[in-house]
Amino acid sequence: MTDSRRVSYFYDAEVGNYHYGQGHPMKPHRVRMTHNLVVNYGLYRKMEVFRPRLVSPTAMTRFHSDDYINFLKVITPDNMQDYIRQLQRFNVGEDCPVFDGLFEFCQLYTSGSIGGAARLNDDAVDIVINWAGGLHHAKKAEASGFCYINDCVLAILELLKKHERVLYIDIDIHHGDGVEEAFYSTNRVMTCSFHKFGEYFPGTGDVHDIGYADGKNYSINFPLNDGMDDKAYRSIFRPVIGKIMEMFAPGAVVLQCGADSLSGDRLGCFNLSVKGHADCVRYVRSFGVPMLVLGGGGYTLRNVPRCWTYETSVLTGEEVKDELPFNDYFEYFGPDYRLNLPVSNMENLNSPEYLETTKNQLLDILSDVEPVPSVQIQTGQVESQLNPRGVNMEIDRPGPEEGNPDRRVSREDTGRKEHPSELAG
């Protein structure tokens, strides 16, 4: 099923060296494990592989507050006791610990997402993958849920420089609250999240939360109970996303692929297989709209690389064998050493009636969305009548230090091409 979709893949070998601390469920090492599988399956030959060029702290303030970014730049495990008030104010220290190299880690994963968005804007590729990204809980001035910088929001802001409308889809088991909140009152970004709801972090994402002011009907939430399986997920994901693509007609899509919705996740309670999770990726890809594909949650170390590697194969249009190739982390994948994992026999607590009712509620909301105008005028024209109503979102253009905004983004700006010998990492 090979096809000619152009795919870029952002990876920095340093990402696996950062450690949230003993016993913490978030392990950046899973991105290195994923990369190793991608390389050993030969999938990297089907993509342009980039090492992201680090974005400046200033670029992060397109969304985050100056105070918060300055705090993340200076805080270290050694000077924490001098910043007790700020640690509380910015919600850093418990779920979101201070660890060595924290700010560099944030720069790494954020740079892949912003750099990927810039490559899409430049029409250099059709799909960009950054498995280190997808940290969707971070707020303007607050860390949350293992997330410090919200790379999803920053990538969407980058895409809005070119595209009139951007769609954000979130299949992490946790609600994509940070992204929804950032764009809650604009109709240029639609957010759509499928998540466990009810006595579960972060506690937001009710079906009745649909957006505010100009953003009303542009936030879509599908709250779910434990035990979601492949068949049930497909029965809601495809109709809702299909309707969004028809009504909202985005110029670009950001897809957050949190793998904590897989069966057997350490923190999750859904029952999706790798193929069921990847079916969402396959469906979004089928629309042929420019895509930025990000990671996110995923806390069972042996399963996350399986999922993201298989999804890399789906995005590149390559078939891969179920038997895993030998790789640096082979022993993690025993006893079966296969790509696909068995699901459990847990009960699906989402009744067909509940799923049907909620799906229809969302389809009704979506029928109120202003359809995209049939005649496209080049965005960026002064006083264009096709700007969605009442948009007052300021999108930063690059400052003088980031070059001339009229200049095409060059390959050097979004990262340097990897030399083949570096791919072994």
Side-chain angles (χ1 to χ4, degrees):
M1 62 170 204
T2 57
D3 67 16
S4 57
R5 216 68 69 89
R6 300 167 300 164
V7 183
S8 279
Y9 171 93
F10 279 72
Y11 177 71
D12 192 303
E14 288 296 312
V15 75
N17 296 332
Y18 296 95
H19 196 249
Y20 276 61
Q22 194 171 9
H24 197 289
M26 176 62 109
K27 300 187 189 304
H29 177 59
R30 69 212 172 119
V31 181
R32 180 157 53 193
M33 290 173 65
T34 301
H35 178 70
N36 203 263
L37 264 188
V38 164
V39 168
N40 281 290
Y41 264 118
L43 291 170
Y44 72 95
R45 294 193 199 98
K46 310 296 175 185
M47 308 183 285
E48 291 186 309
V49 180
F50 282 89
R51 184 176 181 182
R53 169 178 163 264
L54 290 187
V55 297
S56 67
T58 311
M60 297 175 177
T61 62
R62 288 177 186 172
F63 172 56
H64 294 286
S65 71
D66 293 7
D67 283 357
Y68 178 54
I69 297 301
N70 288 333
F71 165 76
L72 290 177
K73 275 166 62 181
V74 301
I75 194 76
T76 67
D78 295 333
N79 67 14
M80 279 171 64
Q81 62 285 350
D82 303 332
Y83 292 92
I84 301 298
R85 210 180 99 260
Q86 288 95 323
L87 286 165
Q88 288 177 327
R89 176 182 160 200
F90 298 126
N91 192 36
V92 172
E94 298 286 322
D95 275 357
C96 304
V98 177
F99 56 85
D100 283 324
L102 168 60
F103 190 70
E104 291 77 21
F105 170 68
C106 292
Q107 272 186 304
L108 271 189
Y109 74 74
T110 301
S111 299
S113 299
I114 296 177
R119 278 195 74 64
L120 289 172
N121 281 354
D122 200 29
D123 200 24
V125 287
D126 306 303
I127 296 169
V128 173
I129 301 169
N130 177 26
W131 294 128
L135 278 75
H136 58 167
H137 294 306
K139 309 292 195 300
K140 182 184 171 98
E142 189 179 301
S144 176
F146 317 157
C147 308
Y148 304 87
I149 300 293
N150 199 316
D151 63 292
C152 312
V153 169
L154 289 165
I156 291 167
L157 290 173
E158 186 71 27
L159 291 167
L160 285 169
K161 291 177 180 178
K162 175 175 178 184
H163 299 283
E164 201 68 62
R165 295 178 161 195
V166 175
L167 170 62
Y168 172 77
I169 305 170
D170 193 314
I171 60 171
D172 193 291
I173 196 171
H174 300 96
H175 177 231
D177 58 338
V179 187
E180 176 181 282
E181 184 179 294
F183 300 110
Y184 205 61
S185 60
T186 177
N187 53 11
R188 288 190 64 193
V189 178
M190 180 173 281
T191 60
C192 179
S193 180
F194 300 81
H195 49 269
K196 157 78 174 161
F197 184 73
E199 295 185 18
Y200 200 71
F201 183 87
T204 47
D206 191 287
V207 69
H208 301 295
D209 298 339
I210 59 171
Y212 174 75
D214 292 322
K216 187 179 178 188
N217 302 328
Y218 290 83
S219 286
I220 302 296
N221 285 298
F222 206 125
L224 297 162
N225 300 309
D226 293 13
M228 275 301 283
D229 56 36
D230 293 356
K231 187 178 172 198
Y233 209 98
R234 183 182 169 114
S235 76
I236 60 169
F237 185 85
R238 288 189 170 228
V240 170
I241 297 302
K243 182 77 167 175
I244 288 173
M245 297 307 272
E246 174 199 339
M247 299 300 292
F248 185 66
V253 176
V254 176
L255 176 58
Q256 197 269 18
C257 296
D260 46 8
S261 40
L262 289 175
S263 184
D265 188 77
R266 177 176 165 186
L267 300 185
C269 52
F270 282 0
N271 199 21
L272 293 181
S273 72
V274 165
K275 285 195 167 156
H277 196 273
D279 187 67
C280 301
V281 178
R282 192 185 305 276
Y283 186 62
V284 175
R285 180 184 185 272
S286 72
F287 289 94
V289 175
M291 280 174 83
L292 174 63
V293 182
L294 307 174
Y299 307 102
T300 298
L301 208 51
R302 64 185 176 275
N303 291 348
V304 179
R306 288 175 151 118
C307 181
W308 291 345
T309 300
Y310 184 68
E311 286 169 352
T312 304
S313 81
V314 167
L315 290 163
T316 53
E318 292 295 311
E319 298 279 0
V320 287
K321 288 184 180 153
D322 194 30
E323 303 83 55
L324 290 173
F326 188 73
N327 63 86
D328 292 354
Y329 307 103
F330 198 59
E331 69 280 4
Y332 282 78
F333 302 109
D336 51 353
Y337 306 101
R338 292 187 172 273
L339 192 59
N340 289 289
L341 51 103
V343 293
S344 86
N345 61 356
M346 75 188 291
E347 185 186 357
N348 182 0
L349 299 179
N350 301 272
S351 70
E353 298 75 29
Y354 169 73
L355 294 175
E356 183 71 15
T357 305
T358 309
K359 178 188 78 178
N360 288 333
Q361 269 181 279
L362 295 179
L363 295 178
D364 286 349
I365 292 164
L366 287 166
S367 54
D368 288 338
V369 166
E370 229 182 300
V372 76
S374 54
V375 183
Q376 284 287 352
I377 294 178
Q378 184 63 41
T379 62
Q381 283 191 352
V382 182
E383 299 300 320
S384 163
Q385 292 308 299
L386 294 187
N387 279 345
R389 274 175 302 126
V391 172
N392 57 1
M393 182 183 295
E394 281 294 311
I395 308 299
D396 288 353
R397 295 287 172 184
E401 81 287 352
E402 296 174 70
N404 176 354
D406 297 323
R407 179 171 57 81
R408 283 175 62 82
V409 181
S410 73
R411 194 167 277 185
E412 288 69 39
D413 281 344
T414 52
R416 63 179 180 78
K417 195 81 179 280
E418 288 281 15
H419 187 275
S421 67
E422 295 180 283
L423 290 167

